[in-house]
Short mmCIF file of all heavy atoms in Angstrom, two decimals:
data_model
loop_
_atom_site.label_atom_id
_atom_site.label_comp_id
_atom_site.label_asym_id
_atom_site.label_seq_id
_atom_site.Cartn_x
_atom_site.Cartn_y
_atom_site.Cartn_z
N THR A 1185 123.60 337.36 -104.66
CA THR A 1185 123.58 337.76 -103.25
C THR A 1185 123.23 339.24 -103.19
O THR A 1185 124.09 340.10 -103.41
CB THR A 1185 124.94 337.51 -102.58
OG1 THR A 1185 125.31 336.15 -102.75
CG2 THR A 1185 124.86 337.84 -101.09
N GLY A 1186 121.96 339.53 -102.93
CA GLY A 1186 121.54 340.93 -102.86
C GLY A 1186 121.69 341.61 -104.21
O GLY A 1186 121.11 341.19 -105.21
N GLU A 1187 122.48 342.67 -104.25
CA GLU A 1187 122.69 343.43 -105.48
C GLU A 1187 123.91 342.97 -106.26
O GLU A 1187 124.28 343.59 -107.26
CB GLU A 1187 122.83 344.92 -105.15
CG GLU A 1187 121.59 345.53 -104.51
CD GLU A 1187 121.76 347.00 -104.22
OE1 GLU A 1187 122.92 347.46 -104.21
OE2 GLU A 1187 120.75 347.68 -103.99
N VAL A 1188 124.55 341.89 -105.80
CA VAL A 1188 125.80 341.43 -106.41
C VAL A 1188 125.63 340.00 -106.91
O VAL A 1188 124.98 339.17 -106.26
CB VAL A 1188 126.97 341.51 -105.40
CG1 VAL A 1188 128.24 340.90 -105.98
CG2 VAL A 1188 127.22 342.96 -105.01
N VAL A 1189 126.23 339.72 -108.06
CA VAL A 1189 126.28 338.36 -108.60
C VAL A 1189 127.72 337.86 -108.49
O VAL A 1189 128.66 338.56 -108.89
CB VAL A 1189 125.83 338.32 -110.07
CG1 VAL A 1189 125.97 336.92 -110.64
CG2 VAL A 1189 124.39 338.80 -110.20
N ARG A 1190 127.90 336.66 -107.95
CA ARG A 1190 129.22 336.06 -107.85
C ARG A 1190 129.31 334.89 -108.82
O ARG A 1190 128.40 334.06 -108.88
CB ARG A 1190 129.49 335.57 -106.43
CG ARG A 1190 129.51 336.68 -105.40
CD ARG A 1190 129.95 336.19 -104.03
NE ARG A 1190 129.03 335.20 -103.48
CZ ARG A 1190 129.21 334.58 -102.31
NH1 ARG A 1190 130.29 334.85 -101.59
NH2 ARG A 1190 128.32 333.71 -101.88
N VAL A 1191 130.39 334.85 -109.57
CA VAL A 1191 130.59 333.80 -110.57
C VAL A 1191 131.97 333.18 -110.33
O VAL A 1191 132.97 333.90 -110.18
CB VAL A 1191 130.51 334.34 -112.00
CG1 VAL A 1191 130.62 333.21 -113.01
CG2 VAL A 1191 129.22 335.12 -112.21
N LEU A 1192 132.01 331.86 -110.29
CA LEU A 1192 133.27 331.14 -110.15
C LEU A 1192 133.74 330.73 -111.54
O LEU A 1192 133.08 329.95 -112.23
CB LEU A 1192 133.07 329.91 -109.26
CG LEU A 1192 134.29 329.35 -108.52
CD1 LEU A 1192 134.93 330.41 -107.65
CD2 LEU A 1192 133.88 328.14 -107.69
N VAL A 1193 134.88 331.27 -111.97
CA VAL A 1193 135.36 331.10 -113.35
C VAL A 1193 136.68 330.34 -113.33
O VAL A 1193 137.59 330.69 -112.57
CB VAL A 1193 135.55 332.47 -114.04
CG1 VAL A 1193 136.06 332.29 -115.46
CG2 VAL A 1193 134.24 333.25 -114.03
N PRO A 1194 136.83 329.31 -114.15
CA PRO A 1194 138.11 328.58 -114.20
C PRO A 1194 139.26 329.51 -114.58
O PRO A 1194 139.08 330.45 -115.36
CB PRO A 1194 137.87 327.51 -115.28
CG PRO A 1194 136.39 327.37 -115.37
CD PRO A 1194 135.83 328.72 -115.06
N ASP A 1195 140.42 329.23 -114.05
CA ASP A 1195 141.58 330.09 -114.28
C ASP A 1195 141.94 330.17 -115.76
O ASP A 1195 142.45 331.17 -116.24
CB ASP A 1195 142.78 329.54 -113.47
CG ASP A 1195 144.00 330.44 -113.59
OD1 ASP A 1195 143.83 331.64 -113.85
OD2 ASP A 1195 145.13 329.93 -113.44
N GLY A 1196 141.64 329.13 -116.52
CA GLY A 1196 142.00 329.13 -117.94
C GLY A 1196 141.17 330.06 -118.80
O GLY A 1196 141.55 330.37 -119.94
N ARG A 1197 140.03 330.52 -118.31
CA ARG A 1197 139.17 331.41 -119.10
C ARG A 1197 139.56 332.87 -118.86
O ARG A 1197 139.79 333.27 -117.72
CB ARG A 1197 137.70 331.21 -118.75
CG ARG A 1197 137.16 329.85 -119.17
CD ARG A 1197 135.66 329.79 -118.92
NE ARG A 1197 135.10 328.51 -119.31
CZ ARG A 1197 134.66 328.23 -120.53
NH1 ARG A 1197 134.72 329.17 -121.46
NH2 ARG A 1197 134.16 327.05 -120.82
N THR A 1198 139.59 333.64 -119.92
CA THR A 1198 139.89 335.06 -119.81
C THR A 1198 138.62 335.82 -119.47
O THR A 1198 137.61 335.69 -120.16
CB THR A 1198 140.47 335.60 -121.13
OG1 THR A 1198 141.65 334.85 -121.45
CG2 THR A 1198 140.82 337.07 -120.99
#
Side-chain angles (χ1 to χ4, degrees):
T1185 305
E1187 297 181 344
V1188 174
V1189 176
R1190 297 187 297 178
V1191 184
L1192 204 57
V1193 179
D1195 184 26
R1197 292 186 180 272
T1198 302

